[in-house]
Amino acid sequence: MTTRKLKNGVMGFLVAASAVMLITVLVVIVWHIFISGVKYLNWDFFTKTPTPMGESGGGVFNAIVGTFLITLVAAAIGTPFGMFAGIYVAEHRGQRFADVVRLCADALQGVPSIVIGIFGYTFLVVRFRSYSALSASVALAFMFVPTTTRVTEEVLNLVPSGLKEAAYALGARRSSVVWNVSIKTAAAGITSGLLTSMARIAGETAPLLFTAFGSRYVEWNMLRPMSALPLQIFVNASSPYPALQQQAWSAAFVLVLLILLLQYGAKHLIARVLRVKA
Amino acid sequence: MAALPSPSDRREAARERVFTAASLVAAVALVATIALFLVQLLVTSRTSWATFGLPFLWHSEWNPVTEKFGALPMIVGTLVTGFGALLISTPFALGIAIFLADYAGKKVAEPIKYLIGLLGGLPSVIFGLWGLFVLVPIVSKFEVWFGKLVGSEALVASGTTGVGLLAAILLLAIMILPFSASLILEALLVVPTELKEGALALGATKWDTIQNVELPYVRKSTVGALVLSLGRALGETMAVTMVIGNGMKMPTTLFDPANTLASAIANQFLEATSPIYVGSLIQLALILFVIAIIINVLARVILRRGIQQ
Amino acid sequence: MKNRRHVSLLLTILLIVTLVASGCSPKGGSTTVKELSGAGATFPYPLYSKMFDTYASATGVRVNYNSIGSGGGIKALTDKTVDFGASDAFLTDQEEAAMGAPVLHIPTCIGAVVLSYNLDVTSALKLDGTVLAEIFLGKVVKWNDPAISALNPGVSLPDLAITVVHRSDGSGTTSIFTSYLAAVSPTWKSTVGAGKSVSWPTGIGGKGNDGVAGMISQTKGSIGYIELIYAVQSSMPFASLKNASGTFVTPSLASSAAAAAVSLPDDLRVMIVNSPGKDAYPISAFTWILVYKEQNYVGRTLAQVQALKKLLTWMLADGQSINEGLSYARLPAAAIQKAMVLVDSMTYGGSAIP
């Protein structure tokens, strides 16, 4: 009896201790990133482009623009594929091919980002003889689609079958039922999933290494090389200039803010905007 | 009454066809993508496997100068960092999941869950940044101290920079921890309260309940979560690239700089000029692709079975 | 329901605007070329970034240069994904064959490869080629080795292990440095040799000149080879080297310019390491911009080619005034003359470029 009580106490202590250790490490990391990032933020940082090497000042406006454009376009490319694939799997639940599709989505999700980058390079950059933001967006779209597919499928499966049956009883065709009933009911969940996926791809670096390539200038043309926050962080981190390293921290801070914004939007704003029960 | 289809009926029928076609196209595209990846990687790496064949997998020399390439140092690096990270993070992941599921009150649990979610969503490159500027100097101090402790000049020498396998393992462990912890937590929360209360009513202590009721219940899900985390660790690129030291030779100790399949590609791809060099790097990507798919699919299969229980 | 439609409409409009904006060229007509792209050497990157910045302010043409190492530049040019490449090592026969067409080497400046180190010493170190080779061969492993002390009388050197830092990527700077080592050490020449990537007997690798500089600054007892300006801008110490005439020379733009006072071949592919001049710094080197001689490939427009030629001409003329501010030596007049000839020899569809 007492050994069990002893064990209970010891294990309880160990669990709590590991939790405390872990939380301390997590807090330290997040705090450090926050502090280092905030320290070097200034107005220039958001509005200017990098200065020539070795000179101080400058900012990452080119990277901010790049991240926005590349992420948006990647989401635009990936959403229709992801949603319709998710619709297919939800509608054909139980069929062999649907299972295969789901499996492929899972498999694609597990493909390391560097492999996606290599694919983007050999498939797009070499073919079109140009590094471009568009090839980066396509590469990121490959990462966007699997999560979108899964979210769409899961959310669609939650739609009460009673709703769907009522629609069919009224004579609606399948596509109508799916689009006007299921999707509309699930809209909040799907959009939330889209934003979460966007948050994920906004932070990816490896697919951009060999596709977007980076640029010191603010670029609006998707067919040209473009900078992005994760790329800028990576490049700056390996430089020996303290000024550039500081900018890496600040860029990291901005990137985290962006991701948090997207995740917050996913959780709270969508339900409110669409006025659908969350 | 069989009436002729009205214009709106025809439109609806057309919409139906388009809709059905669209979902089929998207579904097929998804499947085709995996095949396309495989084919493209095979084709673009043929300069390498045509020259080296299967022995590429166990050749230990990676030499861009003599153009002799072998994947073994990278495979070893990948496995050591992946399993090492899993080994270190698992007890902590279990610990914190159990803590949140069974010990912590709501007021404590919510902020911790948020913190874990926050860290899990951090991009890899930011972990690399932190790893490079904060973790590596600490690891370096430890490695130099340890080398002096055991009296090994070699260890002190390779530990001076701090970058290497050990730094990568520690960083990876921190990275996959939120991921595995949340998955295990999710599984623990599904354990029916009646089971737990039943055990407690019979006189079991809290830990008894955890050990004999909850953990066995979530065993499949936990294994699935761990395998998934392993897959994540094996494919991790940016953070590892920034702290592993880009060693071309087979590492002999944990303090040595090394490379994983992913970091070798990230570090070397942009300047590989000769077709064999490029092909070999792409072959590394191919190996990584196959490993990642196998592990990921395995994990999902285990997880789905665990959830369906 | 209405809100959702509004939101999706808004998003669609936003997307269309983005795509249309990306298709439009920024101000100006469709025939004016506004951007050139290049990639390659990190050795001249501080200079190029300043040059291109100045060029953009002066002409409005933006040059997007990615500093990924000479090897990367050569690969980018071979893949034809950039307008020009940059390298401190001229093409090997194999690389030229891979290019498939003749390539011109246009020099832009003279730089110095310096040995920077991280050590608590009271004065700048003196080293010579033999000792350097021994250090990089892994034969001399401690800072207080007699070979080093002999060259630095009166300087107390610590009992600390030497960590060699070299390049991990395909580097023109490596090519320059290893050519120097091969010239001064027969052992180096026979065991390791010279090239953009070599099998280093010892040490750790950094990516790019900046990566190596970063590693040196973070590792006590380390020594590595980087371009002069990287050491200057990071306030890192560097050694003076004994040159071929026996004098210890501190790297500077004067001493690297002195190294270029040799006869130059017409195609300007020459290594000026271990130069015989009295004041010459022994590890000085040219760095080149690489372009295809025949510029009409993969559908390049005449406008694009003209823009490239204008850039190169500017770099050899007005651009040279930027060199010395960043401790790169200007090209000697003889070199500029021959370089201009090379630039003029660029063709479009077989004929000279107007």
Side-chain angles (χ1 to χ4, degrees):
Chain A
M1 186 60 181
T2 32
T3 36
R4 272 174 46 225
K5 272 221 172 103
L6 187 68
K7 199 194 208 182
N8 186 47
V10 168
M11 290 314 291
F13 176 74
L14 281 180
V15 166
S18 77
V20 167
M21 256 174 72
L22 190 68
I23 294 160
T24 320
V25 171
L26 297 187
V27 168
V28 161
I29 294 178
V30 172
W31 186 245
H32 187 105
I33 294 177
F34 181 75
I35 289 290
S36 311
V38 167
K39 233 198 291 187
Y40 306 110
L41 283 183
N42 52 37
W43 188 244
D44 270 359
F45 184 75
F46 287 98
T47 51
K48 292 226 167 83
T49 52
T51 48
M53 188 144 205
E55 292 181 17
S56 60
V60 297
F61 185 54
N62 56 334
I64 295 176
V65 169
T67 292
F68 265 107
L69 284 179
I70 294 179
T71 310
L72 270 176
V73 174
I77 298 175
T79 301
F81 278 101
M83 267 183 69
F84 276 104
I87 289 172
Y88 184 89
V89 178
E91 285 298 301
H92 295 89
R93 206 153 174 233
Q95 288 178 20
R96 181 92 78 80
F97 187 59
D99 285 339
V100 170
V101 175
R102 189 187 296 121
L103 199 71
C104 285
D106 284 344
L108 190 57
Q109 179 155 28
V111 174
S113 52
I114 189 84
V115 176
I116 307 253
I118 293 268
F119 182 79
Y121 179 79
T122 54
F123 198 60
L124 295 164
V125 174
V126 173
R127 187 156 304 173
F128 296 110
R129 302 273 184 205
S130 160
Y131 291 104
S132 63
L134 189 60
S135 57
S137 287
V138 171
L140 285 180
F142 282 117
M143 303 185 71
F144 187 82
V145 165
T147 39
T148 306
T149 305
R150 200 144 56 90
V151 164
T152 307
E153 185 208 346
E154 278 172 17
V155 171
L156 281 180
N157 282 336
L158 288 176
V159 173
S161 48
L163 276 178
K164 291 194 279 191
E165 281 161 19
Y168 280 122
L170 289 172
R173 290 176 185 268
R174 187 177 212 153
S175 62
S176 216
V177 174
V178 174
W179 192 254
N180 293 318
V181 179
S182 304
I183 295 276
K184 287 214 169 129
T185 316
I190 293 180
T191 325
S192 163
L194 291 181
L195 286 179
T196 315
S197 303
M198 272 177 73
R200 205 166 296 166
I201 61 172
E204 286 293 336
T205 319
L208 304 182
L209 282 176
F210 317 132
T211 49
F213 203 50
S215 166
R216 298 161 51 79
Y217 304 103
V218 179
E219 188 61 73
W220 297 96
N221 188 340
M222 291 298 292
L223 298 176
R224 301 221 43 98
M226 196 182 280
S227 182
L229 283 171
L231 264 185
Q232 203 70 44
I233 296 171
F234 181 60
V235 166
N236 283 14
S238 359
S239 89
Y241 302 109
L244 281 181
Q245 290 170 1
Q246 288 158 11
Q247 286 197 352
W249 283 109
S250 302
F253 183 71
V254 172
L255 185 58
V256 172
L257 275 186
L258 176 68
I259 291 178
L260 282 179
L261 211 71
L262 283 170
Q263 286 175 344
Y264 181 78
K267 258 199 265 214
H268 302 288
L269 295 179
I270 290 303
R272 214 138 26 104
V273 166
L274 297 180
R275 262 179 238 169
V276 179
K277 281 173 249 159
Chain B
M1 285 184 308
L4 285 170
S6 67
S8 67
D9 276 343
R10 269 201 294 269
R11 255 179 286 138
E12 243 194 87
R15 255 204 300 256
E16 175 80 15
R17 277 197 295 270
V18 167
F19 189 85
T20 319
S23 58
L24 186 64
V25 163
V28 169
L30 201 54
V31 177
T33 302
I34 298 286
L36 183 64
F37 266 72
L38 192 64
V39 167
Q40 178 80 357
L41 287 174
L42 274 171
V43 164
T44 46
S45 65
R46 71 175 172 282
T47 49
S48 178
W49 47 256
T51 316
F52 301 113
L54 206 59
F56 182 77
L57 291 175
W58 53 79
H59 274 169
S60 59
E61 191 187 354
W62 181 272
N63 195 333
V65 182
T66 57
E67 303 223 311
K68 291 241 175 337
F69 297 106
L72 196 61
M74 275 61 102
I75 294 180
V76 165
T78 305
L79 293 177
V80 167
T81 50
F83 280 99
L86 193 67
L87 213 67
I88 294 184
S89 70
T90 301
F92 289 98
L94 275 172
I96 220 184
I98 295 175
F99 179 75
L100 288 174
D102 291 309
Y103 287 89
K106 210 161 195 164
K107 277 215 198 110
V108 178
E110 284 309 307
I112 296 180
K113 274 199 260 188
Y114 181 73
L115 193 64
I116 293 183
L118 185 64
L119 223 78
L122 273 187
S124 173
V125 69
I126 296 186
F127 272 109
L129 186 66
W130 179 83
L132 188 59
F133 290 118
V134 179
L135 187 64
V136 163
I138 297 177
V139 169
S140 156
K141 285 201 177 71
F142 168 75
E143 290 181 350
V144 170
W145 169 82
F146 187 79
K148 290 206 174 110
L149 190 73
V150 298
S152 160
E153 286 268 5
L155 282 183
V156 172
S158 47
T160 325
T161 53
V163 291
L165 283 174
L166 185 60
I169 291 176
L170 290 175
L171 190 60
L172 266 185
I174 297 177
M175 286 176 75
I176 63 176
L177 205 140
F179 190 60
S180 44
S182 1
L183 284 176
I184 299 177
L185 178 63
E186 250 179 64
L188 281 175
L189 289 175
V190 177
V191 176
T193 32
E194 310 92 62
L195 280 179
K196 292 194 274 193
E197 281 165 11
L200 287 170
L202 287 172
T205 62
K206 193 167 199 147
W207 179 256
D208 279 337
T209 322
I210 294 175
Q211 184 180 350
N212 298 314
V213 176
E214 290 183 46
L215 289 183
Y217 192 87
V218 301
R219 191 181 19 227
K220 276 222 178 77
S221 305
T222 310
V223 170
L226 292 179
V227 175
L228 210 56
S229 308
L230 178 67
R232 183 95 166 241
L234 292 178
E236 189 41 67
T237 311
M238 295 321 294
V240 173
T241 304
M242 290 162 90
V243 302
I244 202 168
N246 197 24
M248 306 273 203
K249 300 199 181 53
M250 179 79 86
T252 45
T253 69
L254 282 181
F255 294 3
D256 284 341
N259 253 328
T260 59
L261 292 165
S263 69
I265 301 171
N267 269 315
Q268 301 173 37
F269 191 74
L270 274 178
E271 0 134 326
T273 36
S274 71
I276 278 202
Y277 197 0
V278 174
S280 299
L281 284 170
I282 299 183
Q283 201 173 351
L284 292 183
L286 181 63
I287 298 172
L288 190 55
F289 179 72
V290 170
I291 294 179
I293 290 210
I294 293 177
I295 291 213
N296 203 270
V297 170
L298 186 71
R300 300 267 174 197
V301 164
I302 298 177
L303 266 179
R304 278 182 209 270
R305 282 218 204 110
I307 292 173
Q308 279 158 14
Q309 239 175 285
Chain C
M1 287 311 157
K2 242 199 198 158
N3 286 319
R4 199 180 68 86
R5 214 170 291 154
H6 288 165
V7 167
S8 42
L9 190 65
L10 197 66
L11 285 174
T12 320
I13 291 177
L14 186 69
L15 185 66
I16 293 177
V17 165
T18 310
L19 287 175
V20 167
S22 62
C24 292
S25 40
K27 28 192 167 146
S30 49
T31 49
T32 336
V33 171
K34 286 299 180 181
E35 221 174 282
L36 292 167
S37 65
T42 58
F43 182 86
Y45 182 53
L47 176 64
Y48 289 172
S49 66
K50 186 85 186 152
M51 270 187 170
F52 298 148
D53 217 54
T54 316
Y55 192 70
S57 321
T59 62
V61 176
R62 314 194 310 193
V63 185
N64 187 15
Y65 181 79
N66 261 303
S67 169
I68 52 178
S70 303
I74 293 177
K75 177 191 178 129
L77 190 65
T78 315
D79 287 343
K80 301 189 170 69
T81 50
V82 287
D83 288 300
F84 63 88
S87 168
D88 330 310
F90 39 81
L91 298 178
T92 62
D93 295 325
Q94 197 187 26
E95 286 162 351
E96 261 213 91
M99 294 269 190
V103 169
L104 301 172
H105 294 66
I106 320 277
T108 54
C109 66
I110 303 171
V113 177
V114 308
L115 276 310
S116 188
Y117 50 87
N118 184 340
L119 207 59
D120 291 326
V121 280
T122 44
S123 54
L125 286 182
K126 293 200 181 77
L127 295 169
D128 72 6
T130 325
V131 162
L132 260 186
E134 306 251 289
I135 293 177
F136 278 82
L137 279 169
K139 298 227 177 93
V140 166
V141 292
K142 284 266 174 102
W143 280 105
N144 57 355
D145 190 290
I148 306 181
S149 324
L151 295 169
N152 294 276
V155 179
S156 87
L157 295 162
D159 180 21
L160 184 61
I162 303 181
T163 307
V164 164
V165 184
H166 53 75
R167 289 284 288 272
S168 59
D169 49 330
S171 154
T173 317
T174 300
S175 174
I176 300 169
F177 183 59
T178 48
S179 304
Y180 169 71
L181 288 182
V184 297
S185 161
T187 324
W188 183 272
K189 188 167 182 183
S190 54
T191 49
V192 186
K196 287 200 293 300
S197 273
V198 297
S199 192
W200 296 95
T202 177
I204 49 176
K207 212 167 159 56
N209 266 285
D210 40 338
V212 172
M215 289 195 118
I216 300 174
S217 65
Q218 285 165 7
T219 314
K220 206 108 202 107
S222 58
I223 183 171
Y225 57 92
I226 51 179
E227 213 286 329
L228 174 60
I229 191 62
Y230 285 87
V232 168
Q233 280 178 344
S234 319
S235 312
M236 288 162 56
F238 43 88
S240 5
L241 285 185
K242 192 194 254 190
N243 68 4
S245 356
T247 341
F248 281 99
V249 180
T250 311
S252 68
L253 69 92
S255 53
S256 31
V262 292
S263 78
L264 305 166
D266 282 339
D267 65 354
L268 290 171
R269 297 161 63 168
V270 59
M271 277 284 179
I272 52 175
V273 292
N274 214 27
S275 210
K278 179 169 64 79
D279 302 313
Y281 178 70
I283 326 186
S284 310
F286 283 112
T287 185
W288 296 273
I289 297 246
L290 305 172
V291 291
Y292 284 99
K293 181 155 187 237
E294 170 49 62
Q295 281 285 311
N296 188 2
Y297 55 88
V298 294
R300 285 165 72 71
T301 61
L302 181 61
Q304 188 85 8
V305 175
Q306 283 174 318
L308 180 61
K309 182 171 174 178
K310 269 184 82 181
L311 173 70
L312 293 175
T313 317
W314 180 86
M315 285 174 85
L316 291 170
D318 289 342
Q320 291 289 303
S321 59
I322 301 177
N323 293 19
E324 296 184 347
L326 291 166
S327 302
Y328 291 90
R330 302 174 76 122
L331 292 172
I336 296 184
Q337 206 179 28
K338 300 202 182 204
M340 284 294 198
V341 169
L342 287 178
V343 172
D344 285 331
S345 76
M346 278 165 62
T347 55
Y348 187 78
S351 34
I353 300 167

PDB file of all heavy atoms in Angstrom, chain B residues 226-239:
ATOM      1  N   LEU B 226       4.286   9.698 -31.542  1.00  0.00           N
ATOM      2  CA  LEU B 226       5.746   9.688 -31.507  1.00  0.00           C
ATOM      3  C   LEU B 226       6.319   9.438 -32.895  1.00  0.00           C
ATOM      4  O   LEU B 226       7.320  10.039 -33.293  1.00  0.00           O
ATOM      5  CB  LEU B 226       6.243   8.639 -30.508  1.00  0.00           C
ATOM      6  CG  LEU B 226       5.941   8.972 -29.048  1.00  0.00           C
ATOM      7  CD1 LEU B 226       6.445   7.870 -28.140  1.00  0.00           C
ATOM      8  CD2 LEU B 226       6.571  10.291 -28.657  1.00  0.00           C
ATOM      9  N   VAL B 227       5.693   8.514 -33.618  1.00  0.00           N
ATOM     10  CA  VAL B 227       6.184   8.244 -34.970  1.00  0.00           C
ATOM     11  C   VAL B 227       6.038   9.486 -35.841  1.00  0.00           C
ATOM     12  O   VAL B 227       6.935   9.839 -36.615  1.00  0.00           O
ATOM     13  CB  VAL B 227       5.429   7.056 -35.600  1.00  0.00           C
ATOM     14  CG1 VAL B 227       5.850   6.851 -37.041  1.00  0.00           C
ATOM     15  CG2 VAL B 227       5.675   5.793 -34.800  1.00  0.00           C
ATOM     16  N   LEU B 228       4.905  10.174 -35.675  1.00  0.00           N
ATOM     17  CA  LEU B 228       4.688  11.411 -36.431  1.00  0.00           C
ATOM     18  C   LEU B 228       5.754  12.454 -36.080  1.00  0.00           C
ATOM     19  O   LEU B 228       6.288  13.144 -36.951  1.00  0.00           O
ATOM     20  CB  LEU B 228       3.297  11.950 -36.093  1.00  0.00           C
ATOM     21  CG  LEU B 228       2.586  12.729 -37.172  1.00  0.00           C
ATOM     22  CD1 LEU B 228       2.464  11.901 -38.420  1.00  0.00           C
ATOM     23  CD2 LEU B 228       1.217  13.143 -36.685  1.00  0.00           C
ATOM     24  N   SER B 229       6.062  12.555 -34.789  1.00  0.00           N
ATOM     25  CA  SER B 229       7.090  13.512 -34.368  1.00  0.00           C
ATOM     26  C   SER B 229       8.432  13.126 -34.946  1.00  0.00           C
ATOM     27  O   SER B 229       9.226  13.986 -35.341  1.00  0.00           O
ATOM     28  CB  SER B 229       7.187  13.563 -32.843  1.00  0.00           C
ATOM     29  OG  SER B 229       5.929  13.778 -32.284  1.00  0.00           O
ATOM     30  N   LEU B 230       8.697  11.834 -34.992  1.00  0.00           N
ATOM     31  CA  LEU B 230       9.951  11.381 -35.582  1.00  0.00           C
ATOM     32  C   LEU B 230      10.020  11.809 -37.035  1.00  0.00           C
ATOM     33  O   LEU B 230      11.044  12.316 -37.498  1.00  0.00           O
ATOM     34  CB  LEU B 230      10.065   9.860 -35.471  1.00  0.00           C
ATOM     35  CG  LEU B 230      11.321   9.257 -36.093  1.00  0.00           C
ATOM     36  CD1 LEU B 230      12.550   9.688 -35.324  1.00  0.00           C
ATOM     37  CD2 LEU B 230      11.231   7.744 -36.132  1.00  0.00           C
ATOM     38  N   GLY B 231       8.888  11.618 -37.743  1.00  0.00           N
ATOM     39  CA  GLY B 231       8.852  12.023 -39.137  1.00  0.00           C
ATOM     40  C   GLY B 231       9.145  13.499 -39.288  1.00  0.00           C
ATOM     41  O   GLY B 231       9.879  13.930 -40.180  1.00  0.00           O
ATOM     42  N   ARG B 232       8.556  14.280 -38.390  1.00  0.00           N
ATOM     43  CA  ARG B 232       8.798  15.715 -38.408  1.00  0.00           C
ATOM     44  C   ARG B 232      10.274  16.025 -38.191  1.00  0.00           C
ATOM     45  O   ARG B 232      10.872  16.852 -38.865  1.00  0.00           O
ATOM     46  CB  ARG B 232       7.952  16.302 -37.288  1.00  0.00           C
ATOM     47  CG  ARG B 232       7.986  17.747 -37.174  1.00  0.00           C
ATOM     48  CD  ARG B 232       6.830  18.399 -37.907  1.00  0.00           C
ATOM     49  NE  ARG B 232       6.800  19.782 -37.444  1.00  0.00           N
ATOM     50  CZ  ARG B 232       5.795  20.322 -36.822  1.00  0.00           C
ATOM     51  NH1 ARG B 232       4.709  19.620 -36.633  1.00  0.00           N
ATOM     52  NH2 ARG B 232       5.856  21.545 -36.402  1.00  0.00           N
ATOM     53  N   ALA B 233      10.863  15.330 -37.214  1.00  0.00           N
ATOM     54  CA  ALA B 233      12.275  15.581 -36.888  1.00  0.00           C
ATOM     55  C   ALA B 233      13.171  15.190 -38.054  1.00  0.00           C
ATOM     56  O   ALA B 233      14.145  15.867 -38.360  1.00  0.00           O
ATOM     57  CB  ALA B 233      12.661  14.812 -35.631  1.00  0.00           C
ATOM     58  N   LEU B 234      12.852  14.084 -38.718  1.00  0.00           N
ATOM     59  CA  LEU B 234      13.705  13.617 -39.801  1.00  0.00           C
ATOM     60  C   LEU B 234      13.691  14.574 -40.980  1.00  0.00           C
ATOM     61  O   LEU B 234      14.671  14.708 -41.692  1.00  0.00           O
ATOM     62  CB  LEU B 234      13.253  12.226 -40.270  1.00  0.00           C
ATOM     63  CG  LEU B 234      13.448  11.091 -39.281  1.00  0.00           C
ATOM     64  CD1 LEU B 234      12.919   9.795 -39.857  1.00  0.00           C
ATOM     65  CD2 LEU B 234      14.915  10.931 -38.938  1.00  0.00           C
ATOM     66  N   GLY B 235      12.557  15.246 -41.179  1.00  0.00           N
ATOM     67  CA  GLY B 235      12.469  16.117 -42.342  1.00  0.00           C
ATOM     68  C   GLY B 235      12.807  17.559 -42.054  1.00  0.00           C
ATOM     69  O   GLY B 235      12.845  18.395 -42.948  1.00  0.00           O
ATOM     70  N   GLU B 236      13.046  17.877 -40.796  1.00  0.00           N
ATOM     71  CA  GLU B 236      13.295  19.250 -40.391  1.00  0.00           C
ATOM     72  C   GLU B 236      14.521  19.817 -41.094  1.00  0.00           C
ATOM     73  O   GLU B 236      15.575  19.189 -41.129  1.00  0.00           O
ATOM     74  CB  GLU B 236      13.499  19.256 -38.880  1.00  0.00           C
ATOM     75  CG  GLU B 236      13.559  20.607 -38.238  1.00  0.00           C
ATOM     76  CD  GLU B 236      12.560  21.565 -38.805  1.00  0.00           C
ATOM     77  OE1 GLU B 236      11.359  21.334 -38.603  1.00  0.00           O
ATOM     78  OE2 GLU B 236      12.984  22.531 -39.461  1.00  0.00           O
ATOM     79  N   THR B 237      14.387  20.979 -41.656  1.00  0.00           N
ATOM     80  CA  THR B 237      15.487  21.506 -42.458  1.00  0.00           C
ATOM     81  C   THR B 237      16.180  22.721 -41.866  1.00  0.00           C
ATOM     82  O   THR B 237      17.348  22.667 -41.507  1.00  0.00           O
ATOM     83  CB  THR B 237      14.985  21.888 -43.864  1.00  0.00           C
ATOM     84  OG1 THR B 237      14.244  20.821 -44.391  1.00  0.00           O
ATOM     85  CG2 THR B 237      16.146  22.213 -44.760  1.00  0.00           C
ATOM     86  N   MET B 238      15.483  23.830 -41.774  1.00  0.00           N
ATOM     87  CA  MET B 238      16.186  25.099 -41.543  1.00  0.00           C
ATOM     88  C   MET B 238      16.898  25.148 -40.208  1.00  0.00           C
ATOM     89  O   MET B 238      18.067  25.510 -40.129  1.00  0.00           O
ATOM     90  CB  MET B 238      15.208  26.262 -41.639  1.00  0.00           C
ATOM     91  CG  MET B 238      14.606  26.452 -43.005  1.00  0.00           C
ATOM     92  SD  MET B 238      15.735  26.178 -44.370  1.00  0.00           S
ATOM     93  CE  MET B 238      16.867  27.522 -44.138  1.00  0.00           C
ATOM     94  N   ALA B 239      16.184  24.790 -39.136  1.00  0.00           N
ATOM     95  CA  ALA B 239      16.807  24.900 -37.816  1.00  0.00           C
ATOM     96  C   ALA B 239      18.053  24.026 -37.745  1.00  0.00           C
ATOM     97  O   ALA B 239      19.096  24.441 -37.241  1.00  0.00           O
ATOM     98  CB  ALA B 239      15.812  24.496 -36.734  1.00  0.00           C
TER      99      ALA B 239
END
